[in-house]
Amino acid sequence: MAKLRGRGYASVNYPTGMNLGGDPSQALIHATTTGTFVVSLSSVDLGQGLKTVVAQCAAETLGLPVENILVDTADTDTGPHCMGTFASRGTHRVGNAVIMAAAEAREVMLAVAAEELEVDAGDLETDGTGFVQVTGAREKRIHITDLALAAHFTHGRTISGRGIFLKEKNDPVPETGEMDPDSCQAHACTVAVVEVDDETGVVEVLRMHNAYEIGRALNPAMVAQQVEGGAWMGMSHALFEATEPYYPARDHGPTDFNEYLMPGAADIPEYHNAILERPAGNGPFGAKGIGEMTANAPIPAIANAIFDACGVRLDTMPFTPERVLRGLDELRADRSPTKE
Amino acid sequence: MASQVVNLRVNERSREFLAAPGTSLLSSLRDTLGLTAAKRGCAQGGCGTCTVLLDGRAVMSCLVAVQTVDGASVRTLEGVARDGALDEVQSAFLEGFATQCGFCTPGMIMAAEALLDRNPDPTRDEVVEAISGNVCRCTGYGPIVDAILDAAARRAKA
Amino acid sequence: MSYKTNPIDRTYFPDEPAQDFTVIGSVVRRSDALGHVTGRTAFFEDISPPDLLHLKTHRSARHHARILDVDLTAALAVPGVVRVLTHADIPNNVFTPLKLIGVEPDDEPVLAEGKVRYLGEPICAVVAETEAAAREAAARVRVEYEDLPAVFDVEEALAEGAPIVNEYHGNNYFTYEGHHCRRIRFGDVEAAFAAADHVFQWRYQSAPIEHAPTETTGCIVVPQPDGRLRIHSDTQACFFTLDNTALILGTPFNKLRIVGGTVGGGFGGKVDIAVEPVACVAATLTGQPVKYVYSRYEEMQVSSPRAAERIYIKDAVMADGRVTGRRVTLYVDAGAYSRHSPYGTTKAAAHLPGPYSIPNVWADCHCVFTNRTPSSAMRGFGVTIADFALESQMDRIARALGMDPLRLRLLNAYRDGDLKAHRKVAEGTALVEVIQKAARMVGHELPEEYLRMSSMDRRER
Ligand code: FES
Ligand code: FES
């Protein structure tokens, strides 16, 4: 009886957005007289961090600190339309809409600053700390708070902008499947190292190496969150999860967290991750969506590692101890090395 | 069985309220006292999102019938920050990106508080053990374990 | 150390213009984290409006049955029960969520009407003053059934003479513009098989998977002074839920307002319009706020899972490792109703044959109805399970040929300018580079020619 080690590989791509019905999202942005910009959306943050990432997009575009941005979202009375959070579309669609809105607002902001400073708007830049200044001339500058007040009380202007991203409707050709469903593709290659206990059938994932290409890492710490959380979910799908463990039989369905098994904090492997950036021309600062894909490559990587470890090819998910043991029994019964 | 007046010391404040038989501590906190930090992820002891400290011990408040703990002292996440300042566990979770959706966070932090109160210098395994009843579906647990260890280190320095 | 980042390796795409960002690309603290660590983040269930009523559902105890009688007497007798809703109370009871983008037909009742098609299907909704009373009364509803034959296997469901699951479709499959499946036809796979050195065919199967967010699906509906309804929801898509709910209620869209956006995990499980319509009807009929939140059991067994899929892949492979043809037959088990599965099946079709340039591809992707909990969107749907099959297949081919599995992938990897099977020209590809990077991370040696490969070089084939 032994613990058998194996290594498995998987490489995948994943589409950003899934469009067939037309896929728009809108953003509105306006400055209050405090110099704070409010981004109005109806988009939903599921915990992936949309609110943070769109604030970054607005701040970068306006040239202001992220502290000057407030994101007000998910009230259908006050936020413009968004299709919703799914299909790895949030960062891409909403990010683009926010950039467009912020760019329009920036133009007004610079126009008002030009009047205040009595220079040409083309000669102005933002310094990233809250000032608009004459390019290269720090002493000639105005703070966004003064600017916002002046716009409202002196110039009668709203520093505001409208943005939309639309992926146009596309109908698949029924005969051939020709279609344009997505905006770009992100990429990943996962290498999983597992240990299979040939007595109990238990598979332990020891290490996962993940190389991702995601266009642009808008917030590297949140990218790390997605990669690690997704790898965990992929491992969980691979080894444990099923609402119908003996599918297609409907019996033995788990009803709570005691029966629906998932790896706990004690079961997590060592992760080694790396990010590549090949910015997408149509992405916000080049970003592609990676929220969903991080769970994908780990599953086949683990299946392939199990085969590498013990010669059992699991073609049915999840890879439970029962399935591993049945596979080992079959191998022992039929020691023909030509199985694969 | 009749409703009963229950006295609890919640986050250092005396609270007196009427509870129907079978009402859970979780429901009393959330629905009666308006303390909504503790979450209801399952109401059956399976997820740990409702974890609070009951006389210093971490309990799943959905499993505690509030009438049976009359007179006890309860600490919830609302009572962790002092004078508006985050404590070490909160800071470590915040700065360590240990939250995604945040629904498990109140339970995780309270489980961590209970651990660090009784064991200020836990090993990684002890941290894992302390949160073994708490489900997180987003983070993969690693950042949470790291944050709790980080909190212990911060507390040792403080 | 207080947070993790993954190293960004810029050696692979050195020509990408280095951009000078201030905020983008830097570690900005999450704007929601302070609320999370102080417990102040407001999730939908964290409000408690006065006079709140609670809604619980009585669900089907059968997989497939005619409903002969529903007896509410015992339920109505439970103290605290305000009302019991049935399908007759729902203005437009039969719906399908993707009708907003033109998907037809309406095929799912909000509350069962005459028939149940899966175990756990909602039949009636009890509204009561306390959650306990609602739960108790829901358990006391008596339904008399006449069992009908049920079908649980996708291929059995498509066989001649199988019981029909969903009469609104008439067949046990979703119809794509007159076709019984979503098809990909690219090149000539049969010719590829005839010319191949090897032909490999294997089968893959997955089971339904639950999203298992820590926060269950739910909403609280609060009638407003102006006659509108404010819906506090954990939906993943506010307007999508608003529009569908208005259609079901038969009410002008602007009578509804959704407030949400802070969700305790979704993973695709909260786009189904599962709770809002019936809660809105209850709030309208009673004039009081109504809360409808799934129990953990409902979340596990009744809310849509990730679909089970069965996938057959047959490949034409040359001795040098080039895959020249791929034929895929894919079945998505939609369960009893469409929900988002017709869409996911199309997404699966677009994903084939995986991230490889294969000149001949044939795929039939079936969206199949069975008597089980309807499946729907989940993190990567259409792709996740396909990737399990495709990447297991690549591993098996490599082993059968005695080839390095990474070299096999690199040899077949799609690159810029390749025409994909759904006839979109690939751009911005980077499969080659992530494989090279992963190889380097684990010390897997690749010969020079494989290290020199680039996604930006067009391949001669
Ligand atoms: S709500 Fe108490 S353990 Fe889940
Ligand atoms: S952060 Fe979402 S459950 Fe833990």
Side-chain angles (χ1 to χ4, degrees), chain C residues 33-106:
Chain C
L34 183 63
H36 293 344
V37 303
T38 53
R40 283 192 215 119
T41 299
F43 293 89
F44 85 90
E45 211 189 335
D46 292 337
I47 59 157
S48 33
D51 280 337
L52 182 66
L53 299 175
H54 299 262
L55 189 150
K56 293 282 167 195
T57 304
H58 181 87
R59 297 181 175 279
S60 163
R62 305 300 166 90
H63 299 294
H64 194 194
R66 230 182 297 286
I67 298 174
L68 300 181
D69 185 51
V70 178
D71 180 358
L72 303 177
T73 323
L76 288 166
V78 173
V81 168
V82 175
R83 199 160 176 139
V84 182
L85 308 179
T86 68
H87 66 87
D89 295 300
I90 313 293
N92 296 314
N93 190 44
V94 182
F95 79 112
T96 196
L98 287 177
K99 77 191 296 174
L100 295 171
I101 59 163
V103 172
E104 293 178 318
D106 287 340

Side-chain angles (χ1 to χ4, degrees), chain C residues 302-349:
Chain C
V302 176
S303 80
S304 318
R306 182 195 288 290
E309 292 181 35
R310 180 172 303 160
I311 304 175
Y312 295 90
I313 307 178
K314 180 176 175 184
D315 284 342
V317 183
M318 304 310 286
D320 64 1
R322 279 175 304 132
V323 182
T324 51
R326 177 162 280 176
R327 182 189 160 103
V328 181
T329 308
L330 183 149
Y331 302 93
V332 169
D333 189 336
Y337 300 109
S338 290
R339 298 199 183 166
H340 297 85
S341 292
Y343 206 59
T345 308
T346 296
K347 186 167 177 176

Side-chain angles (χ1 to χ4, degrees), chain B residues 100-102 104 136-139, chain C residues 214:
Chain B
Q100 287 193 32
C101 79
C104 69
C136 176
R137 187 58 159 161
C138 304
T139 64
Chain C
T214 45

Side-chain angles (χ1 to χ4, degrees), chain B residues 30 36-37 39-42 44 77 86 90 93-97 99-103 105 109 135 137-138 146, chain C residues 2-4 28-30 33-34 36-39 43 45-46 131 210-212 214-215 263-265 267 296:
Chain B
R30 288 180 56 84
T36 55
K39 298 293 174 232
R40 180 169 70 167
C42 70
Q44 56 188 185
L77 181 54
L86 301 184
Q90 291 174 307
F93 270 67
L94 177 74
E95 288 161 27
F97 282 77
T99 66
Q100 287 193 32
C101 79
F103 202 81
T105 310
I109 291 182
V135 174
R137 187 58 159 161
C138 304
D146 291 344
Chain C
S2 59
Y3 59 83
K4 271 181 228 170
V28 170
R29 194 173 285 175
R30 292 183 61 118
L34 183 63
H36 293 344
V37 303
T38 53
F43 293 89
E45 211 189 335
D46 292 337
E131 204 183 335
E210 165 54 27
H211 310 80
T214 45
E215 176 202 50
V263 177
F267 312 107
R296 185 49 64 182

Side-chain angles (χ1 to χ4, degrees), chain C residues 414-430:
Chain C
Y414 81 144
R415 303 184 193 175
D416 290 5
D418 288 351
L419 186 63
K420 300 206 241 178
H422 62 283
R423 292 172 173 75
K424 199 174 159 174
V425 176
E427 50 184 273
T429 59

